[in-house]
Amino acid sequence: MKTLITFIISLILSFFVSKAQANSSLKANFKTGDPGITSIHKMTFGPEGILFIGDSNTAQIIAIDLSAHPKVDNSKVKLDQLDKLISDMMGTTIDQIQITDMVVNPENNNIYLSINHSSGVPILLRVVDNVLKQVPLDNVSHSKTALQNAVSEEAKDRRGRKLRKWAVADLKYTEGKILLSGLSNQEFASTFRSIDFPFSDKQASSSLEIYHAAHGKYETHAPIKTFIPTKINGDSHIVAGYTCTPLVVFPMNEIKPGKHHKGRTVAELGSGNSPVDMIEIENEGNRYLLIANSNRPLMKMDFKDLAAYKDSLTTPVTKKGAAEGVDYVNLPYVNVQQLDKLGDGFIIIQRESNGNLALKTGNSWWVK
Amino acid sequence: MFAQTSLEFIFNENQITISNSEVITENILVFKGEIPEDQLPVTTSILGKIVKKEKEIHFIPIVPFGWNQKYTVLYNHTITHFSLPVPENYEFLSVSKIYPTSSRLPSNLLKWYIRFSKPINTAHIYDHIKFVNASGDTLSRVVLRLENALISDNATLLTLWIEPGRQKRDLIPNKQLGPVFNNQENYSLIISKNIKDNKGVSMQKDFIHPFLITDTDRVKLAINTWEINSIEANSRGNLLIKCDEPIDYGSSLNNITILNSNDQEVTGTWDLLNQEKVIAFKPKEPWKKDSYEVHFDAGIEDLAGNNLYRLFDNELHTISDKEIPIESYKLEFIIK
C-alpha cells in the first residue's frame, strides 16, 4: 500500500515537473540523454537551475537542467583536505585531478565542483550535507551548441583548423546570452564571444577582440581571465580582469562584433598577480566586487567607488607591484582558488597556510 | 570481523569482476590504498557503478584504476587487496617532437609546442616544465600559466606561451622584469620525468632541449620573398615553399590552401621542414598542368608572433579598428 501511495505521489510530481519544464521557454528544446561532455573547464548558472558548462575539448557549451536538486542550507559547509578527499573518491592521486571550477546555484544554494581527471573523464560533484556526491552526466536534460570559429567564418576560410585550440577562460549568463572569454593556441588575442540562449540552429556568435591602453604605446592583446556582467550607474557593463592585472570596464552597448574595443582601465591590481575569479555581492543595499587572485589576497571593491571613478589609467604603474585606480581593501583570505556567491555571502576554496585545501564559507561580516 | 581470504576476483583497469554463485550482498566497496580493517568505516570509498549479472558482479570505477596503485576491496564481509602492475611491454611516455626545432631562437620567442608520444595527464602540467640558464638556475615567470592549459583534444600536443607580458615591449612585466631571454645566452627547456601519461605512469627520464637566444625578431612575415620550387606535371612531387625565416607550427599548417584555376582546393598533406623554414605539400593526386594559387591565412606567424598582417607588439596608432584583415595573401605558380 505504502509503495502504491509513493508511486502515485511520484506520478503526480513527475507530471508537474514535466509540465513546468514544458512551460519553460528556456528549456523547450532540451532533451534527455548523454550530452557527450568530455571536459568541464568553466561553469556558470543561468535562470531556472540551468548550469552552463564550457567544454574546451569539444569546443562546445552544454546547458544542463539541475533544477530538480532541492534547496539546501550550505551556510555552514566546511570540507577539509578537499583534494585528497576527491582523489580518494576517484581512487587516484592528487596530482591526477584538477578542480576546475566551483559554482553555486543561486536559486537553491547547491554547491557544485567540476573535476578533470588525467584519464579525460569529467566529473561533476554536488555538496550534500557536507558530503560530496556525484552528479551523473550521462543521462541529463540538456541542450548544447558548438563554439563556432567566428574568425574563419567571417574570413570565408575553407581551411581546416585541426591544430586550433580555444580554451574557455570564463563564461557568464546575462539577459538571454552566454558570454565567454578565452584564449587560442594560435594567436595571442583577447577573444570575447556572445551566444544567444536558448541555442538555435542559426546561432549567432560574435567574436570581439578587446585591448586596452594602460601600458603605454603598445597594445596588449591580453586575454580576459575572469569577468562579470553587471550594472554600473544603471547601465549594463562588463567588468573584466586581465592576466596581468588591469581591471577594465566595457559598456555592453558599445561592444560590436568584429571590432576592437578599447576598455577603460579602472584599476591595476598589482603586477605578478593574476585574477582567478570575480563575483558581485549585494548585501543590505551595498554592492561589492570580490576578486580572488593568484598572488594577492581576496580583494573587495565597493561598486559606489567603481561607479564614481570616471578616469582611465593610461600610464604604466611605475612603482613595482603597486596598485592604482579604484580603491579596494584586501580581505584576510589568501590563496583563494575558487570563489562564488552563496546567499548574501560567499564561498571559497582556499589553500590554507598549513597546506589544507578547504571548501568553506567566507565570513559575511566582510560584505555587510 | 572480516575474513582475510581471497575471493574469485578478476581485476583490470576498468573493472573488478567477482565470480561467485553464492552472492550474499550486492554491495562492493573499493578504497584507494591498503586500508586496515579498523580504518574502513572512516575511509572514503571510490565512486563507481555496480553491475550485477547472472553469476557475476562488477564494480566499474568512476575513472580507471591506476597502475601500481594499491586498492582495498570490501565484499561480502571479506577484504582483499590488489594492485595493477605496469605491464612489462608498457610504452612509457616520451616527448616525440618539439617546435620550434631550431636550436637558435629569437629573444622574443612566443610559443613552444610539445608533442608527446601518448596522451598526458593535464592536471598541474606547468609544474613539470621549467627553463634553466647556462648556470643551471631555473628562470621564473617564463610560461603563461593558464587555468586550462592549451592541450589538443587527444591530449598529446601542449602549447606553451612564453609570458607575453614580458616578451611584449612596454607592458608592466616587461618593464619590471625585462624579457624572458637574453640575447646570445644559452638556455634549456626541461620537461621533468615526473610528468605522467593519462594512466598515471611517469616518463622515464627528463627531456632536455638546449637552445641559444639570438636577435629579437620585429619584422613581419613577407611572403613576397618566399620561393616555390618547380614541379613536373603528372608527378606527386612535393611543393616546397622556402620561407625567409622559420614559421610558427601551430598557426601555419592548417592555414594554407592551394587552389587550381577552377578555384578548387588541391588536397594533400602539409609538413614543415628544415627547422620550419620550408613548408612542404604532398598532393594526394598527381599534379596537373594548370595555374595555381597558394592562399595563406593572415594569422600565420613567425616564432615571435609577427604574422602576415601585423607585428606582435604593434604600436597602437597603427592599428585599425577592424578585427580581421581582408587583404589576401597568396603566391602563384604554374605547372606546365
Side-chain angles (χ1 to χ4, degrees):
Chain A
M1 185 62 188
K2 196 174 171 184
T3 311
L4 184 65
I5 292 169
T6 310
F7 175 74
I8 292 168
I9 292 172
S10 305
L11 201 65
I12 294 168
L13 282 175
S14 67
F15 172 76
F16 282 115
V17 168
S18 303
K19 198 165 174 64
Q21 285 182 350
N23 286 340
S24 164
S25 59
L26 292 177
K27 298 174 191 168
N29 59 0
F30 275 43
K31 58 183 179 184
T32 299
D34 185 351
I37 298 168
T38 62
S39 63
I40 306 177
H41 286 110
K42 279 289 164 186
M43 306 186 287
T44 194
F45 266 99
E48 301 179 19
I50 298 171
L51 178 69
F52 295 101
I53 291 172
D55 178 353
S56 299
N57 283 4
T58 51
Q60 60 181 355
I61 304 298
I62 303 107
I64 63 173
D65 181 8
L66 296 182
S67 58
H69 291 162
K71 190 175 177 68
V72 291
D73 176 14
N74 269 324
S75 59
K76 292 189 171 55
V77 68
K78 178 87 194 295
L79 288 169
D80 288 318
Q81 294 190 290
L82 187 64
D83 43 2
K84 182 178 183 307
L85 178 64
I86 293 169
S87 63
D88 284 351
M89 288 172 70
M90 297 172 71
T92 189
T93 49
I94 290 172
D95 67 347
Q96 289 183 84
I97 60 155
Q98 191 171 353
I99 302 169
T100 54
D101 207 359
M102 174 189 70
V103 287
V104 178
N105 184 345
E107 293 172 7
N108 56 25
N109 293 332
N110 274 291
I111 302 165
Y112 299 87
L113 303 177
S114 56
I115 317 294
N116 281 350
H117 177 252
S118 59
S119 63
V121 177
I123 311 287
L124 184 64
L125 301 173
R126 180 167 73 108
V127 180
V128 181
D129 296 333
N130 230 28
V131 172
L132 294 174
K133 301 279 185 190
Q134 189 191 3
V135 180
L137 294 171
D138 55 356
N139 190 27
V140 288
S141 175
H142 70 275
S143 170
K144 62 180 183 178
T145 190
L147 284 173
Q148 295 169 0
N149 189 337
V151 174
S152 67
E153 279 192 358
E154 290 176 28
K156 292 185 179 168
D157 182 6
R158 47 184 133 174
R159 295 174 279 278
R161 297 220 174 210
K162 287 176 193 167
L163 288 176
R164 189 184 177 88
K165 182 77 187 171
W166 198 81
V168 177
D170 203 358
L171 82 164
K172 294 283 159 52
Y173 176 90
T174 184
E175 298 170 5
K177 290 184 187 305
I178 298 151
L179 307 175
L180 298 104
S181 67
L183 178 65
S184 97
N185 67 342
Q186 290 194 354
E187 60 280 319
F188 192 69
S190 177
T191 49
F192 195 79
R193 296 161 189 250
S194 167
I195 296 172
D196 289 343
F197 184 79
F199 305 129
S200 65
D201 291 340
K202 292 184 179 176
Q203 165 220 302
S205 68
S206 55
S207 174
L208 311 178
E209 193 163 25
I210 301 168
Y211 68 91
H212 54 95
H215 306 300
K217 65 180 183 177
Y218 298 102
E219 60 174 336
T220 54
H221 281 301
I224 292 175
K225 197 79 185 294
T226 179
F227 69 93
I228 53 164
T230 186
K231 298 271 186 188
I232 298 176
N233 293 325
D235 295 323
S236 296
H237 283 75
I238 297 292
V239 178
Y242 281 76
T243 333
C244 63
T245 41
L247 193 69
V248 184
V249 171
F250 301 91
M252 283 281 276
N253 62 0
E254 290 180 13
I255 297 177
K256 305 287 184 226
K259 297 282 185 186
H260 282 291
H261 287 275
K262 182 178 171 183
R264 188 165 60 90
T265 302
V266 295
E268 279 288 353
L269 307 177
S271 67
N273 177 35
S274 185
V276 172
D277 235 333
M278 193 185 285
I279 58 168
E280 177 181 344
I281 290 184
E282 187 163 0
N283 199 326
E284 297 174 359
N286 296 311
R287 291 166 63 218
Y288 298 106
L289 181 66
L290 294 193
I291 306 167
N293 297 282
S294 64
N295 263 329
R296 294 284 191 282
L298 186 65
M299 296 170 178
K300 182 180 83 168
M301 192 177 276
D302 193 324
F303 264 86
K304 285 197 281 287
D305 295 333
L306 191 62
Y309 191 86
K310 305 294 182 193
D311 294 340
S312 178
L313 296 176
T314 53
T315 53
V317 178
T318 50
K319 195 172 176 181
K320 287 187 176 179
E324 287 193 7
V326 181
D327 286 340
Y328 62 83
V329 293
N330 288 324
L331 302 185
Y333 300 96
V334 294
N335 296 324
V336 174
Q337 299 184 357
Q338 301 290 345
L339 166 71
D340 206 358
K341 196 162 64 168
L342 179 66
D344 54 9
F346 59 99
I347 183 167
I348 56 176
I349 294 178
Q350 180 189 21
R351 179 71 69 186
E352 296 174 338
S353 55
N354 60 5
N356 177 34
L357 188 71
L359 184 154
K360 61 187 184 183
T361 53
N363 191 330
S364 59
W365 181 83
W366 292 106
V367 287
K368 282 183 179 168
Chain B
M1 189 68 180
F2 300 124
Q4 296 289 337
T5 55
S6 176
L7 283 168
E8 298 160 42
F9 287 105
I10 299 171
F11 307 108
N12 63 36
E13 60 179 318
N14 297 315
Q15 63 179 344
I16 300 170
T17 304
I18 303 172
S19 304
N20 190 338
S21 57
E22 297 174 5
V23 173
I24 296 173
T25 172
E26 293 182 0
N27 199 24
I28 303 172
L29 290 175
V30 185
F31 304 86
K32 187 182 86 179
E34 208 167 274
I35 310 295
E37 182 186 329
D38 60 340
Q39 292 297 308
L40 288 177
V42 293
T43 304
T44 304
S45 63
I46 296 172
L47 296 172
K49 275 184 194 170
I50 294 173
V51 179
K52 194 184 170 197
K53 293 182 181 171
E54 194 177 343
K55 289 188 176 180
E56 286 180 350
I57 187 163
H58 301 265
F59 177 86
I60 301 165
I62 188 169
V63 298
F65 293 121
W67 301 111
N68 283 346
Q69 171 69 56
K70 288 180 178 171
Y71 296 95
T72 300
V73 185
L74 171 58
Y75 172 71
N76 198 12
H77 301 290
T78 300
I79 56 174
T80 192
H81 308 288
F82 77 96
S83 66
L84 300 167
V86 177
E88 279 183 18
N89 59 351
Y90 193 78
E91 286 187 19
F92 288 91
L93 177 69
S94 62
V95 175
S96 52
K97 191 96 184 187
I98 190 160
Y99 296 95
T101 55
S102 173
S103 57
R104 296 170 63 87
L105 301 167
S107 62
N108 54 344
L109 172 76
L110 195 60
K111 279 181 278 183
W112 289 95
Y113 301 90
I114 302 162
R115 174 77 70 187
F116 291 92
S117 60
K118 58 199 304 193
I120 52 169
N121 167 25
T122 59
H124 317 289
I125 188 78
Y126 300 113
D127 294 347
H128 304 296
I129 295 163
K130 66 177 180 180
F131 288 83
V132 298
N133 61 20
S135 309
D137 296 325
T138 301
L139 308 186
S140 61
R141 290 197 59 185
V142 176
V143 172
L144 185 67
R145 294 171 76 104
L146 300 167
E147 276 178 90
N148 303 313
L150 289 160
I151 298 176
S152 61
D153 298 347
N154 59 4
T156 59
L157 181 68
L158 170 69
T159 303
L160 295 178
W161 289 92
I162 300 299
E163 174 93 60
R166 292 183 64 183
Q167 299 299 73
K168 207 166 210 181
R169 288 172 293 179
D170 247 15
L171 300 190
I172 291 176
N174 173 271
K175 288 177 86 86
Q176 294 185 347
L177 301 170
V180 173
F181 303 117
N182 296 321
N183 198 359
Q184 294 307 315
E185 291 189 14
N186 287 291
Y187 299 90
S188 291
L189 161 60
I190 299 177
I191 299 167
S192 163
K193 64 183 178 185
N194 295 325
I195 196 168
K196 291 178 174 176
D197 64 21
N198 65 346
K199 295 184 184 302
V201 181
S202 301
M203 259 192 341
Q204 294 206 295
K205 58 180 182 181
D206 289 346
F207 173 84
I208 301 171
H209 180 77
F211 59 95
L212 171 71
I213 286 298
T214 58
D215 290 344
T216 302
D217 178 0
R218 290 208 167 84
V219 180
K220 276 196 289 188
L221 282 173
I223 59 169
N224 55 357
T225 64
W226 295 1
E227 295 170 5
I228 295 182
N229 64 328
S230 58
I231 296 168
E232 288 183 10
N234 303 317
S235 77
R236 286 188 67 229
N238 277 351
L239 177 81
L240 300 174
I241 305 168
K242 194 175 167 190
C243 310
D244 58 341
E245 62 174 313
I247 61 169
D248 171 59
Y249 172 70
S251 61
S252 58
L253 278 189
N254 293 291
N255 289 327
I256 309 170
T257 313
I258 300 174
L259 301 178
N260 64 19
S261 58
N262 294 323
D263 216 23
Q264 291 170 324
E265 184 172 346
V266 182
T267 56
T269 52
W270 293 93
D271 201 359
L272 294 177
L273 309 174
N274 194 19
Q275 298 179 341
E276 296 84 67
K277 283 189 280 193
V278 172
I279 305 166
F281 175 79
K282 187 164 192 63
K284 199 173 171 184
E285 305 293 335
W287 292 103
K288 292 176 180 165
K289 289 180 183 178
D290 201 352
S291 59
Y292 296 88
E293 290 180 349
V294 188
H295 288 251
F296 300 90
D297 188 285
I300 294 173
E301 296 178 348
D302 62 20
L303 303 187
N306 307 307
N307 63 30
L308 292 169
Y309 175 61
R310 65 179 174 198
L311 295 172
F312 180 59
D313 55 359
N314 237 341
E315 295 188 29
L316 283 173
H317 62 83
T318 64
I319 300 166
S320 132
D321 71 343
K322 287 196 172 62
E323 183 198 356
I324 298 153
I326 50 174
E327 192 178 338
S328 169
Y329 297 91
K330 64 181 180 183
L331 293 175
E332 296 172 355
F333 66 97
I334 297 170
I335 297 181
K336 295 177 182 173

